[in-house]
Amino acid sequence: MKVLVIGANGQVGKHLVKFIQESDDLEAKAMIRKEEQASYFKDLGAETVVVDLEDDPDTIAKAFEGVDAVVFTAGSGPNTGPDKTMLIDLDAAVKTIEASKATGVNRYIMISSFDTTREKIQEAPPSFAPYVVAKHYADDWLRKTDLDYTIIHPGRLTNEEGSGQVKAAEEVERGEIPREDVAKVILASLKNDSTIGKEFQVVGGTDKVEDAIAGL
Amino acid sequence: MKVLVIGANGQVGKHLVKFIQESDDLEAKAMIRKEEQASYFKDLGAETVVVDLEDDPDTIAKAFEGVDAVVFTAGSGPNTGPDKTMLIDLDAAVKTIEASKATGVNRYIMISSFDTTREKIQEAPPSFAPYVVAKHYADDWLRKTDLDYTIIHPGRLTNEEGSGQVKAAEEVERGEIPREDVAKVILASLKNDSTIGKEFQVVGGTDKVEDAIAGL
């Protein structure tokens, strides 16, 4: 199964492509923004495709050729303003969902934010609310499709080394999770079709990732 | 027919409330953000309701009591950043659409931007693109409801005195239109149920507003 990793050059994305390449039954196609970012992925033996997510849907859809599943782990990042939140976290997400539909790539895994509910929009501080709105509508768009989707809501991301142990459920207490473990959760979700049509929150915990995902 | 004007204290909104109050068969309920804004509307004999559009949907929905139609002419304005674009032009619009559904107020007129298509998002300059995205998704949300909607796409707004003459069609050549004439177009749309389920662009022209709207 070939997995298009959108936002491959992000920290979760880099871990994920590595894990995918180490899996017997999976291979990665890393979607990156600049050719200069390719060497890390080429060293892992992964295919790369250069796409600007602000491009039009048809151009983006070309990257979906030969792909069996999509993971959206792109984000505008903490150093850009809410203009990029609108263009990447909302609009680019929707464009890739539409590209999945258009190209018949039915499996779509969205890396969302921990809480993207209406309640969260209302209680979020002004600096964070636009991001929650963007993720809220992107998640909503995906839920309303017929795609085989999974929406993953990780807790606060850290750069600590992953433990491979998490707590995952529809709702869990807010907490942290290493980016490496988020990548493991995505990998387990890709390998476990029982996650289709589901969404869940995930933080650091005491269950092995594979068991936590299988038990959802 | 009582019309809830959302964004009443904006320039289009102020003209609109005045025209509504001058109409025999219509009365306005002006939704404003601050009590200090009420006097203009009270002088016109219009009801007012103070609502912060960043509030939760239930609070917003209370303003829909006793109302027969809604006009959304709120906007984050040129002096706020894309954070407010996300929270007002997209999220507040959606909240008011949902409030219309929840309270059974079926008539909803959206004042959109001249061109909110995917093509426009792609070609817009970076400073303008987030606004187009916000209006794109707000329009999309409304189209997907069962509400009796009309989406009005005015050209570039000016503060010139209205001429009462416009050109309106599904697509017209880009041009300017005085805010006073936009308000007249909204009034004519409220009075003409043949605009239900339609959307149109409108700029200054040579047709009387009433004729232009009736001829859509």
Side-chain angles (χ1 to χ4, degrees), chain A residues 9 31-35 37 49-54:
Chain A
N9 201 53
M31 190 190 276
I32 52 180
R33 196 152 58 94
K34 298 173 189 161
E35 187 56 42
Q37 300 166 338
V49 57
V50 176
V51 173
D52 181 346
L53 283 169
E54 292 183 45

Side-chain angles (χ1 to χ4, degrees), chain A residues 54-57 82-83 85-87 90-91 94-95 118 121-122 126 129-131 133-134 136-137 140-141 144, chain B residues 54-57 82-83 85-87 90-91 94-95 118 121-122 126 129-131 133-134 136-137 140-141 144:
Chain A
E54 292 183 45
D55 234 325
D56 66 88
D83 51 338
T85 303
M86 185 80 84
L87 294 172
L90 172 56
D91 195 43
V94 169
K95 285 189 284 190
R118 163 60 55 196
I121 294 175
Q122 298 308 138
Y131 177 73
V133 170
H136 173 84
Y137 286 101
D140 180 83
W141 195 277
K144 288 175 176 165
Chain B
E54 293 183 44
D55 235 324
D56 65 89
D83 52 337
T85 303
M86 185 80 84
L87 294 172
L90 171 55
D91 195 44
V94 169
K95 286 189 284 190
R118 164 59 55 195
I121 295 175
Q122 298 308 137
Y131 177 73
V133 171
H136 173 83
Y137 286 101
D140 179 82
W141 195 278
K144 287 176 177 165

Side-chain angles (χ1 to χ4, degrees), chain B residues 31-75:
Chain B
M31 190 191 277
I32 52 180
R33 196 152 57 93
K34 299 173 189 160
E35 187 56 43
E36 303 95 274
Q37 299 166 338
S39 61
Y40 171 85
F41 305 100
K42 286 180 178 160
D43 289 349
L44 291 171
E47 194 181 335
T48 59
V49 57
V50 177
V51 173
D52 181 346
L53 283 170
E54 293 183 44
D55 235 324
D56 65 89
D58 290 347
T59 305
I60 292 172
K62 284 188 194 123
F64 287 60
E65 232 167 80
V67 160
D68 305 293
V70 175
V71 174
F72 187 90
T73 181

Side-chain angles (χ1 to χ4, degrees), chain B residues 159-174:
Chain B
N159 287 330
E160 277 171 46
E161 201 180 334
S163 68
Q165 294 192 309
V166 297
K167 183 176 175 61
E170 214 171 306
E171 287 186 44
V172 302
E173 209 176 311
R174 188 174 290 274

